[in-house]
Amino acid sequence: MVWLSKDFESERKWKLAQAKKVAFRASKGMLDHATRGEKKLKEEEQRLRKVALNISKDVKKFWMKIEKLVLYKHQMELDEKKKKALDKQLEFLLGQTERYSTMLAENLVTRTNLCNSIHCRVK
């Protein structure tokens, strides 16, 4: 009789332990099932973030290229303006030089004529 009561008691303890294990696993499974949905949502959000990051990088690259193009065009316009200013300055200097050369040539001609007329009188 003692043996049978101990056997029933140990079996009852074993069944309670098994019931606790089953209950724990069932609740864990339910939590896993609930968190699985949340995990899928987080993964989807991460994927969307990666896609958005790639798109933003591409947009940034595009605008950087556009900026380089605009700077290049602006530099070309500045170079063109500088070239025009330098050409104008060169034209001015050439005009001055031509005018001075003409004046010098006229002075030489008049002096030569003067010298020739003086030499002509001296002879």
Side-chain angles (χ1 to χ4, degrees):
M1 203 57 165
V2 173
W3 172 82
L4 190 58
S5 75
K6 285 185 180 180
D7 188 43
F8 274 113
E9 188 179 332
S10 65
E11 189 173 339
R12 197 171 120 233
K13 285 181 182 179
W14 178 80
K15 282 183 179 181
L16 279 173
Q18 291 301 322
K20 282 182 182 178
K21 284 182 184 178
V22 168
F24 177 74
R25 286 187 181 163
S27 68
K28 187 177 177 184
M30 292 300 274
L31 286 175
D32 286 347
H33 184 67
T35 57
R36 208 175 299 147
E38 290 175 14
K39 190 174 180 180
K40 282 183 182 179
L41 287 174
K42 285 183 181 180
E43 287 175 355
E44 180 66 18
E45 185 179 340
Q46 288 290 339
R47 188 186 68 78
L48 290 175
R49 284 180 183 259
K50 283 183 182 180
V51 169
L53 178 68
N54 290 334
I55 290 172
S56 68
K57 283 181 182 178
D58 290 342
V59 168
K60 186 177 179 180
K61 283 180 188 177
F62 172 79
W63 284 112
M64 287 176 70
K65 287 180 183 178
I66 295 297
E67 183 180 9
K68 284 181 183 179
L69 181 65
V70 167
L71 287 174
Y72 176 75
K73 285 186 176 182
H74 182 68
Q75 188 63 40
M76 292 295 290
E77 288 175 3
L78 286 177
D79 290 346
E80 186 68 29
K81 286 179 182 178
K82 282 182 185 178
K83 185 177 181 264
K84 284 181 182 178
L86 289 174
D87 286 346
K88 194 173 184 179
Q89 186 179 10
L90 182 62
E91 261 183 52
F92 174 75
L93 289 174
L94 284 174
Q96 288 278 47
T97 305
E98 187 178 336
R99 200 170 64 209
Y100 290 145
S101 297
T102 307
M103 287 172 55
L104 184 62
E106 287 174 1
N107 280 341
L108 284 177
V109 168
T110 56
R111 282 190 184 185
T112 307
N113 288 339
L114 236 177
C115 284
N116 285 340
S117 64
I118 292 174
H119 284 296
C120 292
R121 289 184 195 166
V122 174
K123 289 183 185 180

